[in-house]
Amino acid sequence: MSALLQVRGLSHNYGQRIGCQDVSFDLHPGELLCIVGESGSGKSTLLKTAAAQLTASSGSVRYHQRDGAWLDLDELSEADRRRLAREEWGFVTQNPRDGLRLNVSAGANVAERLMALGMRNYGQLREIARGWLERVEIDPSRIDDPPTAFSGGMQQRLQIARTLVTQPRLVFMDEPTAGLDVSVQARILDLLRRLVNELGLAAVMVTHDLAVARLLAARTMVMQGGRVVETGLTDQILDDPQHPYTQLLVSSVLTT
Amino acid sequence: MTASTSAPSTSAMLQLRGLGKSFELHHQHGARLDVLDEVELTLHAGECVVLSGPSGVGKSSLLRVIYANYRPSRGVVRVRHDGDWLDLAEATPHQVLEVRRRTLGYVSQFLRVIPRVPALDIVAEPLLETGLSTQEARQRAGTLLHRLNVPERLWLLPPGTFSGGEQQRVNIARGLIVSRPLLLLDEPTASLDADNRVVVAELLEEARAAGSAVLGIFHDEDMRDRVATRLFPMRPFQIT
Amino acid sequence: MTSNYNFAFLDENTKRMLRRALLKAVAIPGYQVPFGSREMPLPYGWGTGGIQLTAALLGPDDVLKVIDQGADDTTNAVNIRRFFARVAGVATTERTIEASVIQTRHRIPETPLREDQILVFQVPEPEPLRTLEPREAETRTLHALADYGLMHVKLYEDIAQYGHIATSYDYPVLVDGRFLTSPSPIPKFDNPKLDHSPALMLFGAGREKRLYAIPPYTRVESLAFEDHPFEIQRWEHQCELCGADESYLDEVVVDDLGSRMFVCSDTDYCGQRRAEQAA
């Protein structure tokens, strides 16, 4: 099986400060990879650098396009980067307000990416938007409500619908369930789990919650101080952690 | 435990050679916990080998090492996958996932409950991963749950609130729904009544008859006598 | 003509800068060209952009017409016409067919324009994406990449809220299949007149320091959805003065009792029709 995303020796520095350092991994089609680690460990920096939202200080990211060609992300023009972000990728932010357009309706939020791809039939756009609202368990009758009238959990589900509506092949998610109530979180995790399976999505998800990794990801990378200290199957990492930092992380989880 | 020096027979499904496992606990003053050493075992198609020995001897750990849930410290875990031998100790995560998807099954003692997912879907999920349609996967899951006497009214509920025995039967169904050539069972019948144990024993016999190799832990002697074709005694780790 | 000022108020170097920018604008239809907007002797929002363009265009032989909402006799139009009569000494007119340069606020004359005429629009906000995307750097990138899905978000919202595209003025257009462009706050009734117009159309935004152009005979397409095509306003009324039923009408309150009448917004057009009818 051939990889979808190839990351090699990737680093991003904030001036003198290290964001992420010398990270390598492969992501295969249909696979969900979790990046875990505490705040400041470089998870989000790695995610944004891999998604070409931040410029790599060194190293490379290669992406296997839908048409079969390999793209080197640092050679990508801004136009190509945006096309990729629009047509083949998705990005789900931790705070849904960063990923949504708050001054337009839920329906417009879902339909925006379709319109960006050139869909110009209003009736069809409505129908697809309604279908997606239903899919993320938002009452389709609220299609014309602004996202500001939604709860935090609903906003996050709306962002997920808005991102997945164009059926991307690769989705980057930055702590999509952080800051939500546990029950709301369970609903979103279940939703993500289902959609990832149904759509055959590949995804890279940043989380500090090991239970989230256990539930969603076949593979996990553990980061500390900008570096990957351990990587492997999620159940290996959680049940047989090797690195001192991973052992500390695993042993720090509260069990009920 | 004697090392087999002969070439693997065509029916051999699993070979353990010089297998050892130690845990290094970095936050317990670097304590080292040795659980397995020099394990040698060959498992053939159609066999059901039951691990025996006192508790704490490392039976569960051995199954977890074979399943690549624990990473072996020494030795090899050769699995026959798609007709070729693959050493799981050296395999890439993607290879291990592929082996788990099609070749190597594992039924633990406890069901790992997934919030909000109904029992029927938990059982059907491994079938979906093989590419079966949702409808057919659910139908087969229902048939298996029915056979394991899980009442139909529970099928569409998430198993979080089920009794221990009900959860265990859902777990067995999930573990056995895809027929895999190699099955690892860690006390899957501990919480089951006699009737349901019989059902599980039948399921295992059917799997063996279809050519699967089974390696398991069964504390209940009746169950062990009923399913085992051979015992594999384990001794405590030798402290040198 | 007042001799204390340079011809047409602006100094020659400023006019040269403006003409260079205008040439670039004509070369790239719909593209917003930055220019060094000068302080003019009237406030922003009163047509400072349009006046600078007109000043750069005028020669001694030009005939200038100025309209505001279609009318030649409103304050803004009268002021600007007088201004140029004083500082350039050019002839002025209220007749569309006589003018060589027409400066306009919010309308395109009903009388068809010719190849030897130039229409200068006063533009308050040159950026059609601004209400949806406040960042200038981002809107420029969107133009550079012709990434205009966002504009349809606005039209989508219109239909979702009102059942039809409710945007009735400053209705966004795509110029020459390339640049998304604001036609300035003309009623969408006038949008079809932009398409393949024989006259050169120039747009100036003084406060925003941008100018742009729609050259003669350029394709100008009003955005829409397949199932909600572009439509112009229609009236059940006719002009109560000239009887026109194909012109843009203003609704005017005529007494303290709230009586109303509908009349042509284009005063010259209406006047010519009445003159013809009287003759």
Side-chain angles (χ1 to χ4, degrees):
Chain A
M1 189 159 55
S2 154
L4 188 67
L5 192 72
Q6 261 185 3
V7 176
R8 291 291 176 273
L10 195 65
S11 304
H12 178 87
N13 302 329
Y14 300 99
Q16 294 294 307
R17 214 158 47 78
I18 290 174
C20 63
Q21 189 76 20
D22 195 22
V23 178
S24 301
F25 66 89
D26 277 4
L27 186 76
H28 286 195
E31 180 183 36
L32 198 151
L33 172 74
C34 263
I35 306 172
V36 302
E38 60 197 7
S39 305
S41 60
K43 311 184 292 273
S44 293
T45 302
L46 171 60
L47 191 76
K48 287 185 183 136
T49 312
Q53 293 191 351
L54 293 174
T55 315
S57 308
S58 61
S60 70
V61 180
R62 301 209 311 147
Y63 170 70
H64 200 191
Q65 273 199 122
R66 195 168 267 157
D67 67 8
W70 279 97
L71 284 182
D72 239 314
L73 292 197
D74 61 349
E75 290 169 8
L76 221 54
S77 68
E78 175 69 8
D80 282 338
R81 192 189 70 75
R82 286 180 180 239
R83 183 191 58 74
L84 208 58
R86 197 164 59 214
E87 295 177 10
E88 303 206 13
W89 291 5
F91 199 100
V92 176
T93 58
Q94 172 175 356
N95 186 342
R97 286 161 177 267
D98 296 336
L100 291 171
R101 206 171 280 287
L102 293 174
N103 53 358
V104 300
S105 67
N109 267 284
V110 177
E112 182 177 343
R113 274 169 70 106
L114 294 171
M115 291 189 265
L117 294 186
M119 194 181 281
R120 293 286 180 269
N121 188 301
Y122 177 80
Q124 217 175 331
L125 289 164
R126 293 283 282 185
E127 202 174 308
I128 297 175
R130 270 206 199 89
W132 268 95
L133 289 179
E134 214 156 27
R135 227 165 154 174
V136 298
E137 301 173 23
I138 294 173
D139 181 353
S141 72
R142 300 198 62 179
I143 187 168
D144 295 330
D145 291 358
T148 43
F150 290 0
S151 68
M154 279 170 79
Q155 286 180 357
Q156 192 57 290
R157 279 180 276 137
L158 182 64
Q159 190 191 190
I160 290 168
R162 169 184 164 86
T163 307
L164 298 188
V165 66
T166 50
Q167 313 249 337
R169 303 170 71 214
L170 173 59
V171 180
F172 298 91
M173 293 185 259
D174 194 357
E175 302 260 20
T177 59
L180 297 172
D181 289 345
V182 182
S183 59
V184 176
Q185 200 179 333
R187 191 170 182 184
I188 287 178
L189 290 175
D190 173 42
L191 191 77
L192 283 175
R193 202 175 151 275
R194 236 174 344 103
L195 292 175
V196 164
N197 285 340
E198 280 172 19
L199 304 175
L201 287 179
V204 184
M205 181 192 277
V206 161
T207 179
H208 62 268
D209 188 341
L210 296 179
V212 169
R214 166 93 77 182
L215 187 68
L216 295 177
R219 289 197 303 131
T220 293
M221 289 202 303
V222 184
M223 290 189 75
Q224 183 193 27
R227 290 178 179 275
V228 172
V229 295
E230 189 165 354
T231 176
L233 296 171
T234 304
D235 62 283
Q236 279 177 348
I237 285 182
L238 297 186
D239 297 338
D240 185 16
Q242 309 282 314
H243 190 272
Y245 176 67
T246 317
Q247 292 187 354
L248 181 68
L249 264 188
V250 170
S251 65
S252 307
V253 174
L254 294 174
T255 48
T256 52
Chain B
M1 280 172 268
T2 51
S4 156
T5 49
S6 61
S9 73
T10 49
S11 71
M13 295 305 299
L14 173 73
Q15 282 191 334
L16 308 181
R17 293 291 175 266
L19 190 60
K21 174 65 185 168
S22 312
F23 291 101
E24 204 173 333
L25 305 175
H26 293 283
H27 296 280
Q28 317 283 327
H29 313 290
R32 204 178 121 112
L33 213 62
D34 296 312
V35 292
L36 297 172
D37 195 33
E38 289 295 317
V39 178
E40 304 274 333
L41 170 67
T42 303
L43 187 67
H44 296 90
E47 267 196 303
C48 177
V49 174
V50 172
L51 301 176
S52 65
S55 67
V57 78
K59 299 190 291 294
S60 285
S61 295
L62 178 59
L63 292 186
R64 282 169 175 259
V65 170
I66 297 170
Y67 193 62
N69 177 224
Y70 289 170
R71 284 171 268 203
S73 310
R74 305 168 290 282
V76 299
V77 179
R78 271 194 217 115
V79 167
R80 187 188 286 279
H81 175 64
D82 286 347
D84 292 323
W85 286 113
L86 180 70
D87 181 3
L88 291 186
E90 301 285 327
T92 66
H94 290 118
Q95 284 175 318
V96 172
L97 288 172
E98 203 43 41
V99 166
R100 286 181 181 178
R101 189 149 32 231
R102 292 191 283 119
T103 301
L104 182 62
Y106 173 69
V107 183
S108 64
Q109 219 170 329
F110 302 106
L111 174 69
R112 193 173 286 285
V113 176
I114 306 168
R116 303 210 325 151
V117 180
L120 193 67
D121 288 346
I122 289 184
V123 176
E125 193 177 58
L127 279 178
L128 292 176
E129 284 172 13
T130 69
L132 216 63
S133 75
T134 311
Q135 201 190 351
E136 194 171 342
R138 282 199 177 147
Q139 200 172 355
R140 284 213 225 164
T143 309
L144 192 53
L145 285 172
H146 186 72
R147 200 166 160 198
L148 283 158
N149 300 312
V150 177
E152 203 164 337
R153 63 187 158 79
L154 295 182
W155 292 4
L156 294 179
L157 299 177
T161 54
F162 292 8
S163 73
E166 285 159 352
Q167 286 197 9
Q168 198 159 46
R169 278 175 278 152
V170 171
N171 199 32
I172 291 168
R174 178 182 164 90
L176 297 185
I177 191 144
V178 173
S179 48
R180 297 187 180 90
L182 201 46
L183 275 176
L184 308 172
L185 307 170
D186 189 352
E187 291 199 58
T189 55
S191 320
L192 299 190
D193 58 28
D195 290 350
N196 282 316
R197 284 183 194 192
V198 171
V199 176
V200 174
E202 284 169 8
L203 287 171
L204 292 181
E205 277 156 24
E206 286 165 22
R208 284 204 299 113
S212 292
V214 182
L215 182 64
I217 304 168
F218 295 95
H219 278 272
D220 176 71
E221 282 192 22
D222 291 345
M223 191 68 188
R224 192 190 305 169
D225 294 344
R226 171 144 195 189
V227 299
T229 58
R230 166 159 77 101
L231 291 185
F232 182 79
M234 289 184 69
R235 286 171 304 170
F237 190 85
Q238 304 296 318
I239 294 156
T240 50
Chain C
M1 178 179 160
T2 311
S3 56
N4 297 346
Y5 291 100
N6 189 39
F7 177 79
F9 188 76
L10 292 174
D11 65 89
E12 292 306 313
N13 280 328
T14 297
K15 286 195 244 173
R16 188 185 304 177
M17 174 271 293
L18 276 158
R19 288 170 195 151
R20 281 183 179 144
L22 284 169
L23 284 175
K24 180 170 181 180
V26 169
I28 316 171
Y31 172 72
Q32 297 169 45
V33 183
F35 74 100
S37 180
R38 299 292 189 254
E39 290 299 322
M40 298 304 287
L42 76 168
Y44 290 130
W46 287 62
T48 52
I51 286 182
Q52 290 180 79
L53 262 52
T54 300
L57 292 168
L58 284 179
D61 301 332
D62 271 308
V63 180
L64 178 68
K65 170 182 162 84
V66 183
I67 51 174
D68 174 4
Q69 305 265 22
D72 295 85
D73 53 3
T74 51
T75 316
N76 193 229
V78 171
N79 276 339
I80 293 172
R81 203 163 52 233
R82 275 197 199 146
F83 173 77
F84 279 114
R86 277 178 68 188
V87 300
V90 294
T92 61
T93 182
E94 296 192 359
R95 297 286 314 276
T96 300
I97 54 164
E98 289 171 0
S100 59
V101 175
I102 304 169
Q103 181 170 334
T104 176
R105 174 176 175 270
H106 300 189
R107 272 310 309 272
I108 296 176
E110 305 287 359
T111 310
L113 299 176
R114 301 184 311 263
E115 285 180 5
D116 61 347
Q117 292 178 309
I118 299 177
L119 192 58
V120 176
F121 293 78
Q122 302 170 198
V123 180
E125 173 52 79
E127 180 48 70
L129 295 166
R130 183 61 69 235
T131 50
L132 296 148
E133 176 50 68
R135 293 167 297 181
E136 172 68 15
E138 181 63 16
T139 51
R140 282 199 212 184
T141 308
L142 293 175
H143 281 298
L145 302 176
D147 186 355
Y148 294 139
L150 193 52
M151 200 68 240
H152 274 86
V153 170
K154 163 105 176 24
L155 302 180
Y156 171 100
E157 280 297 271
D158 263 11
I159 306 175
Q161 279 182 35
Y162 306 110
H164 59 98
I165 298 177
T167 301
S168 58
Y169 64 94
D170 206 354
Y171 190 104
V173 294
L174 196 65
V175 173
D176 200 23
R178 176 59 183 85
F179 281 100
L180 182 68
T181 305
S182 157
S184 88
I186 58 171
K188 65 179 174 183
F189 179 87
D190 285 343
N191 270 27
K193 297 182 191 137
L194 297 166
D195 186 32
H196 288 92
S197 160
L200 171 63
M201 311 223 178
L202 302 174
F203 299 78
R207 184 185 51 210
E208 302 297 326
K209 302 178 174 57
R210 293 285 184 280
L211 58 84
Y212 50 100
I214 300 177
Y217 301 110
T218 302
R219 184 157 57 94
V220 178
E221 180 195 344
S222 301
L223 299 187
F225 287 100
E226 291 161 5
D227 46 350
H228 285 264
F230 174 76
E231 279 174 357
I232 59 171
Q233 297 101 322
R234 303 196 181 283
W235 288 265
E236 292 165 4
H237 304 81
Q238 295 177 337
C239 172
E240 288 180 32
L241 299 178
C242 75
D245 54 6
E246 286 179 341
S247 76
Y248 190 82
L249 299 181
D250 280 341
E251 187 178 6
V252 187
V253 178
V254 289
D255 59 26
D256 289 347
L257 301 170
S259 309
R260 284 143 206 274
M261 65 187 282
F262 286 85
V263 295
C264 287
S265 128
D266 186 333
T267 50
D268 172 56
Y269 174 78
C270 195
Q272 292 307 314
R273 279 178 56 88
R274 276 180 288 154
E276 282 166 24
Q277 286 157 11

